[in-house]
Amino acid sequence: MAANSQFAMAVHVLTLLARSGEAAVKSECVAGSVNTNAVVIRRLLSQLNQAGLVASQTGAFGGTRLAKTPNAINLVDVYKAVCCGEVFALHGSPNQDCPVGKNIEAVLCNLQKEIDSSVTVALARYTLADVMESVEQA
Amino acid sequence: MAANSQFAMAVHVLTLLARSGEAAVKSECVAGSVNTNAVVIRRLLSQLNQAGLVASQTGAFGGTRLAKTPNAINLVDVYKAVCCGEVFALHGSPNQDCPVGKNIEAVLCNLQKEIDSSVTVALARYTLADVMESVEQA
DNA sequence: TTGAACTGTAACTATACTTGTTACAGTTAT
DNA sequence: ATAACTGTAACAAGTATAGTTACAGTTCAA
């Protein structure tokens, strides 16, 4: 239970909300499908809410629904909403007196950007509607 | 110091070894450039050794050198040698009684493979020789 | 053949991140 | 008013990485 599975959970949750259409879904109900605690779901929904992907209503008979149509929700948006977005981390503080240590950071930083960008491009090919369709077909 | 920076460290270390050519480099010396402990370096070198990227010699005047030419070392090889190779993790155990929970795993698994593959493709464009050149130019 | 200089690896600590859980303040429909 | 929600703080537990010490095993050189 250490690996970051927030993106996977987010896609699951959004797919669930998409199927409910306009009807608000309770965090307890979502938690039942994901098989986790409702607070974990509410924490996740809080991030998706900040990203403008969902809208929640407090109070009795409240709950959460999508803030956009499934077609308008790209998986990149989901990824950026819940992930730090770095495939690999840069290492601490290389020795600046070493010719390699002095320059490797900049080189690795450019590489990092390029790799992260490739992930973004790959995710951008899919929307929540595509995921729904795949889930339906399975 | 929690994020996985092993790939970044590995590229740094390999670049250093590449510059030394045939001469074996001591772990203590590598640690000096990376600015970390020699044991951390030896642990990393152990993984690179298992991947056939470097060769070590024990005993006095021992050390480590590249097992291939910089041109023959692709960054994908380095990535696979030190990383688990998953951009995002799947989540635990979705509820199989839920239509979404039942099928989302397979969909996410396919997506995961595709995203991981895009990282591989992006890394495959570079060899250690390319990194060396970039470090030299900086 | 002894000793010094290395690697390889186990074991432990510190730190940090994710998840799960309880608790509770705030909000809303009936 | 009250019951039913969300939002969020606070804490515990599990796990991964990094750093450190210690030491067995290997190799060269005198």
Side-chain angles (χ1 to χ4, degrees):
Chain A
M1 302 163 180
N4 191 338
S5 60
Q6 288 201 101
F7 173 72
M9 242 173 58
V11 172
H12 182 157
V13 169
L14 290 170
T15 305
L16 207 64
L17 296 182
R19 283 171 61 101
S20 290
E22 290 298 312
V25 184
K26 293 185 289 183
S27 64
E28 203 73 48
C29 176
V30 176
S33 173
V34 177
N35 208 19
T36 185
N37 192 286
V39 175
V40 173
I41 296 298
R42 292 204 289 267
R43 270 201 293 246
L44 179 64
L45 288 174
S46 175
Q47 294 185 270
L48 298 177
N49 181 44
Q50 280 174 38
L53 303 180
V54 303
S56 291
Q57 194 173 14
T58 61
F61 300 91
T64 306
R65 54 190 168 76
L66 291 187
K68 303 178 178 181
T69 64
N71 263 311
I73 296 182
N74 197 286
L75 293 195
V76 174
D77 305 326
V78 182
Y79 187 71
K80 287 186 178 168
V82 299
C83 289
C84 57
E86 283 165 5
V87 174
F88 65 85
L90 300 181
H91 58 313
S93 41
N95 186 346
Q96 297 299 309
D97 295 335
C98 165
V100 175
K102 188 173 184 177
N103 297 328
I104 196 77
E105 272 187 302
V107 174
L108 284 169
C109 191
N110 284 334
L111 182 64
Q112 186 190 51
K113 281 177 190 158
E114 190 169 330
I115 302 303
D116 289 343
S117 170
S118 79
V119 169
T120 297
V121 169
L123 282 171
R125 290 201 287 263
Y126 299 100
T127 67
L128 185 55
D130 297 323
V131 174
M132 286 179 74
E133 193 180 335
S134 297
V135 168
E136 226 68 47
Q137 284 176 356
Chain B
M1 301 163 182
N4 191 339
S5 61
Q6 288 202 98
F7 174 71
M9 243 173 57
V11 173
H12 182 156
V13 168
L14 290 169
T15 304
L16 208 63
L17 295 183
R19 283 171 59 102
S20 290
E22 289 300 313
V25 184
K26 292 186 290 181
S27 64
E28 204 73 49
C29 175
V30 176
S33 173
V34 177
N35 208 21
T36 185
N37 192 287
V39 174
V40 173
I41 296 298
R42 292 204 289 266
R43 271 201 291 246
L44 179 66
L45 287 174
S46 175
Q47 293 185 270
L48 298 177
N49 180 45
Q50 278 174 39
L53 302 180
V54 304
S56 292
Q57 194 172 14
T58 60
F61 300 92
T64 305
R65 56 190 166 77
L66 291 187
K68 303 177 177 182
T69 65
N71 262 311
I73 296 181
N74 196 285
L75 292 195
V76 174
D77 306 326
V78 182
Y79 187 70
K80 289 186 177 170
V82 299
C83 289
C84 56
E86 284 166 5
V87 174
F88 64 85
L90 301 180
H91 58 313
S93 40
N95 186 345
Q96 297 298 311
D97 294 336
C98 166
V100 175
K102 188 172 182 178
N103 298 328
I104 196 77
E105 272 187 301
V107 175
L108 284 169
C109 191
N110 284 335
L111 182 64
Q112 186 190 51
K113 281 177 190 160
E114 190 168 332
I115 302 304
D116 289 342
S117 171
S118 79
V119 169
T120 295
V121 169
L123 282 170
R125 290 202 288 263
Y126 299 102
T127 67
L128 185 57
D130 297 323
V131 174
M132 285 180 73
E133 193 179 335
S134 297
V135 168
E136 226 68 47
Q137 283 175 357

